Amino acid sequence: EVVSSTREQVAASVGKLKAAWERMVFQYTFVRDVAVPMRIPPSETLPLLIQLRNANLRAQSTFRVIVEMLMELNRKFMRAGHDTVARRWLEYYISEFCFNTRTGEPVEFNLLCDFILLLA
């Protein structure tokens, strides 16, 4: 019983650590692939990243925030050729976080519906 409890505690800790690592990778790639190439000032980038700091990256609500965020950043900071930077980053987010089968987590049904609506 003690071993089982310890195993569950370790699994919970590993899950939290994995989620924190994924959020850090998410933030890093956003800064590297979007904020820096589009020359978005930290005063604009930081509030967006803070808003998502504890978010479930595979949730419909997070997906919606990210799509809105990219649309707003495109309106404010669009420069010639940078629409492809944001588009590539969105593709990365979708493939690595939303629909990544390596995690073993199921895809949220509402997230899938939003993705289909976005494509339609």
Side-chain angles (χ1 to χ4, degrees), residues 6-46:
T6 302
R7 215 177 279 163
E8 291 170 3
Q9 290 173 339
V10 168
S13 295
V14 168
K16 288 178 185 178
L17 182 61
K18 179 181 154 195
W21 176 260
E22 284 184 338
R23 284 191 295 275
M24 186 178 72
V25 169
F26 168 84
Q27 292 176 348
Y28 168 76
T29 56
F30 176 79
V31 170
R32 181 192 68 197
D33 296 347
V34 177
V36 171
M38 291 180 73
R39 296 187 205 123
I40 300 171
S43 61
E44 293 284 337
T45 304
L46 193 56

Side-chain angles (χ1 to χ4, degrees), residues 19-81:
W21 176 260
E22 284 184 338
R23 284 191 295 275
M24 186 178 72
V25 169
F26 168 84
Q27 292 176 348
Y28 168 76
T29 56
F30 176 79
V31 170
R32 181 192 68 197
D33 296 347
V34 177
V36 171
M38 291 180 73
R39 296 187 205 123
I40 300 171
S43 61
E44 293 284 337
T45 304
L46 193 56
L48 299 170
L49 294 177
I50 287 172
Q51 181 181 358
L52 296 171
R53 74 175 163 213
N54 294 319
N56 174 357
L57 296 176
R58 292 176 178 80
Q60 176 192 32
S61 56
T62 303
F63 180 72
R64 287 181 173 189
V65 167
I66 290 170
V67 169
E68 287 179 30
M69 174 181 70
L70 287 173
M71 288 170 45
E72 181 66 24
L73 290 174
N74 274 338
R75 277 192 289 277
K76 286 182 176 180
F77 301 101
M78 189 61 178
R79 292 178 182 87

Side-chain angles (χ1 to χ4, degrees), residues 70 84-97:
L70 287 173
T84 57
V85 172
R87 187 178 310 128
R88 263 187 282 138
W89 187 81
L90 184 60
E91 289 171 4
Y92 166 78
Y93 164 72
I94 289 169
S95 67
E96 289 299 314
F97 295 102

